[in-house]
Amino acid sequence: MTISRKMLGAAAIAMTATAGYAASHLGDTSDKRIALSNNYAGNSWRQAMLQTFEDVAGAAAEAGVVAAADAFTTSENQATEQAAQIQNMILQGYDAIVLNAASPTALNGAVREACDAGITVVSFDGVVTEPCAWRIAVDFRQMGREQVEYLASRLPDGGNLLEIRGLAGVFVDDEIHAGIAAGVEDNPQFEIVGSVHGDWAQDVAQKAVAGILPSLPEIAGVVTQGGDGYGAAQAFRAAGRDMPIIVLGNRQDEMAWWAEQRDANGYETLSLSIAPGVASLAFWVAQQVLAGEEVPKDLTVPFLTVTQDNLDEVLASTPEGSVANVSYSLEDAQAVIAEAK
């Protein structure tokens, strides 16, 4: 499966979701209820993730593949609140929980309770370490490392880097940071001279970068986690600083800025992120487990990369205010499962 072959709008996502139901030769899941437990919705990636889940899972419910597919988001990014949400789902009798977790470990107790109640738990993006759960993720460490490797190809003499991290304590933040650190260790011509948390949100990142810039020397590159690149660019511009190479995270606003800067002065960079549509893959994996398929506990999907060569194509297919996306059909999920086996 090639992840870049389906950059979809909402209507196309819904159409994709309805394809291939008959491909499953396993048990009937028409009486099964699946719930999404999401810990955070404060940026465009999370909004696109929720929309993709609602489109794909909603179409599956309408077609009778499952009885229900409901999405729930906690009001705060707190593991205790999400644990309570999972416990409510257990009481409500859901057959599967698709989980984007606030913490890789703090939810393990609630996840174990769900498993003990006979509920299938599929974590994605923010995965959990509880062995009874399934995990779907990109290689976030490689995503961090690749940013530094790209900067090394552009800046062979190295330079000072600013790191913008995500939500503190979340698996994704820890893994991307570890990959960036490993990349810098392999490329000692670079030094991280400042680090802030942007919470994967442009406004938070802009404020955080603006606050630290006066104390920093010249910055050659900015390594990021997604949802923060355009905010960083705005902060550099407002401070009158030279614009560094900012690795972006596939958001429409930052790709539009990138295209403008490319046309104006030849600006070049790289953009990469996990696609929000991974939520649709998690839904289908849960459905397949409920249908009796033997699914490996750990599944890996490639991250979605935008380069100077395909920027215009990706930007044209990304709605304003959203993020570059792909969606997964049942056949795609079956292919991911088969590859993992």
Side-chain angles (χ1 to χ4, degrees):
M1 178 187 62
T2 303
I3 193 169
S4 60
R5 67 184 172 84
K6 290 182 301 184
M7 296 180 181
L8 303 174
I13 290 171
M15 291 175 62
T16 301
T18 61
Y21 290 154
S24 177
H25 59 280
L26 302 167
D28 179 30
T29 58
S30 60
D31 62 343
K32 303 298 185 182
R33 299 166 63 236
I34 299 176
L36 167 65
S37 172
N38 175 49
N39 67 304
Y40 176 74
N43 61 30
S44 58
W45 192 98
R46 290 296 179 115
Q47 292 296 325
M49 181 269 289
L50 288 167
Q51 187 63 56
T52 304
F53 180 87
E54 291 173 3
D55 288 341
V56 171
E62 289 180 6
V65 178
V66 294
D70 304 314
F72 303 91
T73 298
T74 56
S75 58
E76 300 289 341
N77 178 41
Q78 298 293 332
T80 52
E81 184 183 7
Q82 193 169 23
Q85 181 187 73
I86 292 170
Q87 289 162 348
N88 285 335
M89 292 173 176
I90 296 171
L91 294 174
Q92 292 172 35
Y94 282 98
D95 299 286
I97 298 172
V98 175
L99 172 65
N100 198 336
S103 165
T105 57
L107 293 173
N108 281 349
V111 170
R112 169 49 64 183
E113 288 181 38
C115 292
D116 289 345
I119 299 171
T120 296
V121 179
V122 178
S123 62
F124 70 98
D125 186 40
V127 299
V128 294
T129 58
E130 167 54 49
C132 73
W134 281 260
R135 286 160 292 278
I136 303 173
V138 303
D139 188 340
F140 288 110
R141 289 198 183 210
Q142 180 58 29
M143 200 167 90
R145 183 188 292 271
E146 189 163 311
Q147 294 186 54
V148 182
E149 292 174 350
Y150 171 76
L151 291 175
S153 72
R154 294 284 311 283
L155 304 167
D157 294 333
N160 297 320
L161 303 182
L162 169 63
E163 180 182 9
I164 306 178
R165 298 187 60 168
L167 281 171
V170 177
F171 165 82
V172 176
D173 172 63
D174 292 338
E175 289 293 292
I176 295 177
H177 168 70
I180 289 170
V184 171
E185 184 176 353
D186 291 343
N187 295 275
Q189 68 270 34
F190 291 107
E191 180 183 0
I192 296 177
V193 296
S195 178
V196 296
H197 280 276
D199 294 356
W200 306 319
Q202 303 288 10
D203 55 344
V204 177
Q206 182 174 352
K207 183 176 180 179
V209 173
I212 198 176
L213 269 182
S215 66
L216 297 181
E218 181 179 356
I219 300 296
V222 180
V223 285
T224 64
Q225 293 200 4
D228 41 25
Y230 184 61
Q234 295 294 89
F236 272 89
R237 185 176 68 176
R241 301 281 295 254
D242 290 339
M243 192 63 67
I245 300 174
I246 304 173
V247 180
L248 305 177
N250 294 359
R251 275 60 173 178
Q252 184 272 339
D253 53 4
E254 61 187 7
M255 291 191 295
W257 171 83
W258 174 11
E260 291 172 359
Q261 298 303 304
R262 176 203 60 194
D263 295 343
N265 53 46
Y267 189 82
E268 294 185 30
T269 189
L270 174 75
S271 182
L272 67 173
S273 179
I274 184 173
V278 70
S280 60
L281 175 62
F283 167 79
W284 285 120
V285 168
Q287 186 271 337
Q288 286 290 279
V289 173
L290 292 175
E293 177 66 91
E294 293 185 7
V295 179
K297 284 298 178 74
D298 291 283
L299 302 171
T300 302
V301 294
F303 42 82
L304 179 59
T305 301
V306 184
T307 67
Q308 209 82 357
D309 292 335
N310 68 349
L311 170 59
D312 289 332
E313 176 189 356
V314 177
L315 183 57
S317 66
T318 304
E320 185 174 351
S322 189
V323 56
N325 196 13
V326 297
S327 181
Y328 291 83
S329 67
L330 172 58
E331 291 95 332
D332 291 332
Q334 290 169 332
V336 170
I337 293 167
E339 184 175 353
K341 289 181 177 180

